[in-house]
Amino acid sequence: MKLVSIILANDLRRRLRSPFAVVIMMLMPLVLTLIVGIVFGRSGSVELPKIRVLLVDRDSGFMSNLLRQGLQQDRFAEMIDLVIVDGEEGYSMMREGKASALVEVPENFTGDVLDRHPTVIRVVKNPAESFLPMIVEEVVETMVLTIDRGSRIFAEPIKSVRVLLEGDRWPTGGDIEDVLNTSRTRAILVRGYLSDSLVTLETETLAPEGERTGGINLFAFVLPGSLMLGLMFISEIVLRDIVREKQTGTLARLFTTPVEAGEIIAGKIISTFLITAIACILLLVIGRFGFKIMIKDYLALALHLVASVFMCTGVITFFYGFIRSERAADAILSVAIVVMGLFGGSMVPLEQMSGTLQAAGRFSPVYWAIDGFKKILVFDAGLADIRLNLVVLLVIAVMTTATGAFMLRGRMQRGG
Amino acid sequence: MIEVREIRKSFGEVDAVNGINFHVGEGEIYGFLGPNGAGKTTTISIIAGILLADSGTVSIAGMDIRKDGRKIRSLLGVIPQEIALYEELSGRENLHFWGSLYGLSGRELRSAADRVLERVGLSERANDPVREYSGGMKRRINLCIGLLHHPRIILLDEPTLGIDPQARINILDIIREEVSRGTTAIYTTHYLEEAENLCDRIAIIDNGRILAEGTLQELVRLVGEEDIVTVTGSFTAEQVNPLLGGVKVDHLESDSIRVLVPDSHSISGLLERFFAAGVNVGEVSIKEPSLESVFIKLTGRELRD
Ligand SMILES: Nc1ncnc2c1ncn2[C@@H]1O[C@H](COP(=O)(O)OP(=O)(O)O)[C@@H](O)[C@H]1O
Ligand SMILES: [Mg+2]
């Protein structure tokens, strides 16, 4: 045991001295998550929930109509699912996390705007989500600016015909779109001027109430897949030391010391496990604070992390039971990892694949890890919900680790 | 102390070690002299536990390496021919790691490391990563690792390979110093002088076999008191054959002849006969009895090729 810990400590120290390969592999899931998250979030090509926005219209006048139609125009309609609610209902839905944001138009909004009285539009954001509410905020902000600027110029003419306008569907969405398209860029430039505007935008994020609100965070949906792909590669990089040390001669030298082959292998597998686990924890911390992914059940997450990382280490150990050189590792392992990742749902979410592929995915060990992380991070699953994942992962981990270690030990004892 | 019986090892078609027997007594430095590819490294690797022999036995301090591997390895210090270090770690960290595998720890480990670093003149660079060392510096650390724990038996596989003469002397001194504590050593080399200067007994090895073994005097006596004369030029065997009365012919072919002669008088006699017969002589070399002449006699070729 002493010798195992010496080998382990040495491997960790060496990895600390040249951490770049692992760090780069850690960046991959983050970049992938960011890109996929944003691309999938913007295009309508993937069956993801739209951004649900609640509109509380206490004004029901021309101006609030304008706002509503703006949010419902074609371009936004792809993204935004606008639900008109009354105040009470809207706020309770927000508390239950059933929408990304709530927009509240105050009473007599049209009148105040036309009379140039100060007035306030509120945007209430769901704390469980990161960028979806931001999109809503930006859109509403742009519209508010447009309304404010427009009303300064057109207040008098509009006022004179306001009777005609009350409660009607004029102007059309197309007209608004034109205004929006040009004002959108300008809005960004003149954002600072909003402060002297008579219409103020008041943003507020609902305080999380301990119980997590259940809106879907797109990042939480995408991260598990790329995370597992990254972890597999990290395990591979770290365990590659076995063939690399064979090349540098240090492995042969280890055989001349009192250390036994089994102890060398144990040290290497444990260091691979630890480094992969540390990478996983760091990535989840970034996910939690950078991508605002809510974690409800930390115990379930911790256990699933251990099982998933153990599975990674085991599967890679298994491969190294057969692989004898870095060249073979290059040729076989990256392909094997990508295939397992692909079938397991690392690149394209499994939900997007055909039924056959989905069924095939179950044979990828990576699937069980990704599925578990999704359940925990997206759907608030607890221990009971991921029982099957844990069992499958641990069985795979134990079997692959044992087989791989056995093969490696046999080979080392024969002097190869 | 070390008893090697009939070990064989082949790699596919190549019989790297082909039935080697020898014995090394306690406190003895046993030299393994042979050209590249002779089987020195393979033999050492089998003794060190890196390779399994196809057949044969090795026992060390009365224990069988197949049964008491760990116990035996704790007695050994191995200096491999290929430098085997962790490049990303410093020289000192390398020493600490390898030393701790032999059970050294704490103050004892640190002072042992400091001592050897001082001895090989690397104290100043001890904290730099090995990656930044020169070849000679790496060689020295490579050596230190095998000596750090004062093993009872040292296996040295060409520890001076590719090192400048100055550093070589330093390394040989260190080895002498270490062995003077009563340590047993096997030293492989393809440098004649090293074998001559350092070793109590020498085995001449080629093609996986020991061709001769003994002290320097015993080996030299094998070639007798005669000088080896090699004549090269442009001639045929038939042309020179009748001129060879009174000398022992060791080797004869066209353009090259090797003879053994008792004194310089007979050399001049031989050459006179050659010139008289009009033999086209290019070059004449005379070697007094030495390890080199033993080697040439046994293997039919020079060591440096
Ligand atoms: N791992 C190996 N695979 C194949 N052939 C080998 C291997 N190791 C050594 N040999 C061959 O065995 C012979 C002896 O090699 P070696 O013991 O390294 O010689 P030396 O150390 O005396 O130079 C050589 O012909 C070499 O090519
Ligand atoms: Mg060699």
Side-chain angles (χ1 to χ4, degrees):
Chain A
M1 233 20 236
K2 179 112 190 299
L3 292 177
V4 173
S5 64
I6 292 173
I7 300 266
L8 171 62
N10 190 51
D11 280 350
L12 293 178
R13 175 181 298 125
R14 287 170 49 220
R15 187 51 62 184
L16 217 59
R17 289 294 150 77
S18 45
F20 302 106
V22 170
V23 169
I24 294 212
M25 271 307 152
M26 282 177 63
L27 289 181
M28 187 197 72
L30 294 179
V31 172
L32 224 61
T33 301
L34 206 62
I35 292 174
V36 175
I38 287 169
V39 167
F40 278 23
R42 288 266 155 98
S43 84
S45 66
V46 171
E47 270 302 307
L48 283 175
K50 287 184 187 172
I51 311 173
R52 171 173 284 187
V53 179
L54 307 180
L55 181 68
V56 179
D57 187 357
R58 300 193 195 278
D59 174 45
S60 299
F62 166 65
M63 288 296 173
S64 65
N65 247 334
L66 206 61
L67 193 70
R68 194 191 73 224
Q69 290 188 28
L71 286 170
Q72 282 174 330
Q73 64 164 314
D74 297 350
R75 209 155 52 92
F76 291 136
E78 285 174 2
M79 272 165 64
I80 294 177
D81 171 25
L82 190 71
V83 184
I84 315 291
V85 290
D86 69 40
E88 195 78 357
E89 184 191 359
Y91 280 98
S92 92
M93 278 172 80
M94 280 304 289
R95 274 191 296 274
E96 288 162 25
K98 286 186 178 155
S100 297
L102 176 144
V103 180
E104 181 178 349
V105 182
E107 254 171 69
N108 199 29
F109 178 65
T110 307
D112 285 344
V113 168
L114 295 180
D115 297 336
R116 308 295 301 146
H117 291 313
T119 177
V120 175
I121 288 185
R122 290 181 83 199
V123 174
V124 183
K125 297 194 286 184
N126 184 337
E129 299 176 9
S130 47
F131 78 90
L132 299 188
M134 270 162 51
I135 294 175
V136 177
E137 189 185 341
E138 196 192 322
V139 168
V140 174
E141 194 176 312
T142 310
M143 291 180 175
V144 163
L145 190 70
T146 314
I147 290 171
D148 183 61
R149 298 288 125 140
S151 66
R152 284 187 186 189
I153 302 161
F154 299 112
E156 284 313 312
I158 293 176
K159 232 181 194 165
S160 59
V161 289
R162 75 198 274 185
V163 187
L164 296 175
L165 301 176
E166 302 285 36
D168 217 320
R169 291 180 63 86
W170 182 91
T172 68
D175 298 337
I176 294 161
E177 187 174 6
D178 288 343
V179 179
L180 276 173
N181 281 340
T182 45
S183 67
R184 215 175 137 75
T185 36
R186 205 178 309 141
I188 292 163
L189 295 173
V190 299
R191 187 169 289 172
Y193 292 100
L194 204 57
S195 51
D196 70 85
S197 161
L198 286 168
V199 185
T200 358
L201 187 67
E202 184 184 287
T203 354
E204 172 189 344
T205 304
L206 273 189
E209 304 169 2
E211 282 297 294
R212 162 203 153 137
T213 43
I216 285 187
N217 179 328
L218 204 57
F219 292 126
F221 196 73
V222 178
L223 183 67
S226 53
L227 170 76
M228 283 315 297
L229 199 62
L231 294 184
M232 291 294 280
F233 275 113
I234 288 171
S235 282
E236 195 273 311
I237 290 174
V238 179
L239 204 61
R240 182 174 279 228
D241 221 33
I242 286 182
V243 286
R244 197 166 278 168
E245 279 207 54
K246 201 167 116 188
Q247 257 156 27
T248 59
T250 43
L251 189 63
R253 187 168 214 160
L254 282 171
F255 293 154
T256 72
T257 71
V259 180
E260 300 284 357
E263 292 164 335
I264 299 173
I265 295 164
K268 299 240 173 266
I269 293 177
I270 297 172
S271 71
T272 306
F273 175 86
L274 289 180
I275 289 166
T276 312
I278 291 168
C280 184
I281 291 168
L282 287 178
L283 286 170
L284 286 174
V285 167
I286 294 173
R288 169 66 186 79
F289 295 101
F291 295 137
K292 305 254 170 62
I293 296 173
M294 283 294 160
I295 297 166
K296 187 178 170 201
D297 192 336
Y298 279 93
L299 177 65
L301 182 65
L303 289 178
H304 186 67
L305 182 149
V306 169
S308 300
V309 171
F310 190 11
M311 180 279 291
C312 281
T313 315
V315 168
I316 301 296
T317 306
F318 176 78
F319 277 107
Y320 274 110
F322 301 90
I323 288 172
R324 286 149 192 261
S325 69
E326 260 202 286
R327 258 185 44 218
D330 281 334
I332 299 168
L333 275 175
S334 13
V335 176
I337 291 173
V338 168
V339 168
M340 281 188 289
L342 195 65
F343 279 98
S346 266
M347 286 76 151
V348 183
L350 219 56
E351 291 81 349
Q352 298 306 125
M353 300 200 217
S354 76
T356 333
L357 279 181
Q358 274 192 39
R362 269 145 222 270
F363 289 97
S364 166
V366 177
Y367 162 81
W368 296 96
I370 296 176
D371 183 62
F373 276 121
K374 261 190 203 162
K375 282 180 181 157
I376 295 169
L377 298 179
V378 183
F379 304 108
D380 286 347
L383 257 187
D385 309 301
I386 56 161
R387 242 179 1 215
L388 180 63
N389 298 66
L390 289 181
V391 169
V392 172
L393 286 170
L394 288 175
V395 168
I396 293 173
V398 169
M399 275 168 40
T400 50
T401 306
T403 318
F406 181 79
M407 300 279 304
L408 275 169
R409 186 161 147 265
R411 208 166 74 215
M412 286 185 182
Q413 282 172 343
R414 285 191 306 276
Chain B
M1 196 66 174
I2 304 172
E3 189 79 47
V4 175
R5 287 263 151 272
E6 274 305 308
I7 54 167
R8 285 169 203 280
K9 176 81 188 178
S10 45
F11 300 102
E13 297 283 280
V14 183
D15 293 327
V17 172
N18 198 1
I20 278 186
N21 292 285
F22 64 92
H23 166 86
V24 184
E26 183 143 18
E28 200 177 16
I29 309 186
Y30 189 82
F32 246 57
L33 178 67
N36 282 333
K40 304 184 295 295
T41 298
T42 308
T43 307
I44 289 260
S45 301
I46 290 169
I47 300 171
I50 300 170
L51 284 178
L52 276 185
D54 297 339
S55 65
T57 59
V58 176
S59 74
I60 293 175
M63 297 177 282
D64 186 329
I65 51 164
R66 284 175 196 255
K67 289 196 210 103
D68 298 303
R70 200 199 286 255
K71 241 190 220 151
I72 288 178
R73 291 198 304 272
S74 68
L75 302 177
L76 299 182
V78 180
I79 292 97
Q81 178 182 336
E82 301 296 334
I83 292 170
L85 302 170
Y86 292 111
E87 300 254 325
E88 59 277 50
L89 300 183
S90 69
R92 179 173 275 120
E93 285 170 325
N94 266 284
L95 287 170
H96 286 177
F97 169 65
W98 295 102
S100 63
L101 291 178
Y102 287 98
L104 296 180
S105 61
R107 266 247 293 290
E108 187 190 10
L109 175 61
R110 285 195 300 276
S111 66
D114 291 345
R115 207 168 46 237
V116 291
L117 284 166
E118 179 75 46
R119 184 66 188 80
V120 297
L122 284 176
S123 298
E124 306 238 309
R125 300 288 307 275
N127 294 331
D128 296 348
V130 168
R131 196 188 310 119
E132 295 167 8
Y133 287 8
S134 72
M137 293 163 75
K138 288 181 187 171
R139 270 273 161 228
R140 279 180 273 165
I141 294 287
N142 197 46
L143 176 76
C144 290
I145 288 171
L147 304 180
L148 186 68
H149 56 290
H150 295 310
R152 280 180 62 194
I153 300 167
I154 323 177
L155 306 178
L156 298 123
D157 194 1
E158 310 213 29
T160 60
L161 202 68
I163 268 193
D164 63 80
Q166 193 58 41
R168 212 160 120 193
I169 291 166
N170 183 255
I171 283 189
L172 291 177
D173 279 346
I174 292 167
I175 294 168
R176 260 194 217 100
E177 211 175 282
E178 185 64 34
V179 172
S180 69
R181 307 164 171 266
T183 313
T184 308
I186 296 181
Y187 187 98
T188 84
T189 182
H190 66 274
Y191 295 116
L192 284 158
E193 321 82 72
E194 287 187 357
E196 279 177 359
N197 292 334
L198 194 68
C199 301
D200 299 320
R201 284 194 301 138
I202 299 163
I204 293 178
I205 174 173
D206 197 16
N207 296 322
R209 289 172 184 281
I210 292 181
L211 303 176
E213 182 204 51
T215 61
L216 186 57
Q217 287 81 5
E218 287 167 348
L219 287 172
V220 170
R221 220 172 290 142
L222 283 179
V223 282
E225 302 300 307
E226 294 149 324
D227 293 351
I228 296 179
V229 178
T230 310
V231 180
T232 54
S234 160
F235 47 78
T236 61
E238 294 75 34
Q239 197 184 353
V240 295
N241 209 9
L243 308 170
L244 297 173
V247 296
K248 270 191 244 167
V249 179
D250 184 45
H251 179 82
L252 174 59
E253 62 183 64
S254 293
D255 300 342
S256 169
I257 178 169
R258 193 163 60 231
V259 296
L260 304 174
V261 294
D263 49 43
S264 52
H265 184 71
S266 19
I267 299 174
S268 46
L270 178 71
L271 290 177
E272 271 164 27
R273 289 200 293 281
F274 272 33
F275 291 133
V279 175
N280 187 350
V281 174
E283 195 178 312
V284 180
S285 83
I286 303 164
K287 290 210 168 83
E288 289 181 12
S290 68
L291 199 50
E292 186 168 15
S293 48
V294 180
F295 191 85
I296 293 168
K297 182 175 152 83
L298 290 173
T299 65
R301 58 197 164 105
E302 306 228 352
L303 194 50
R304 294 188 192 81
D305 37 3

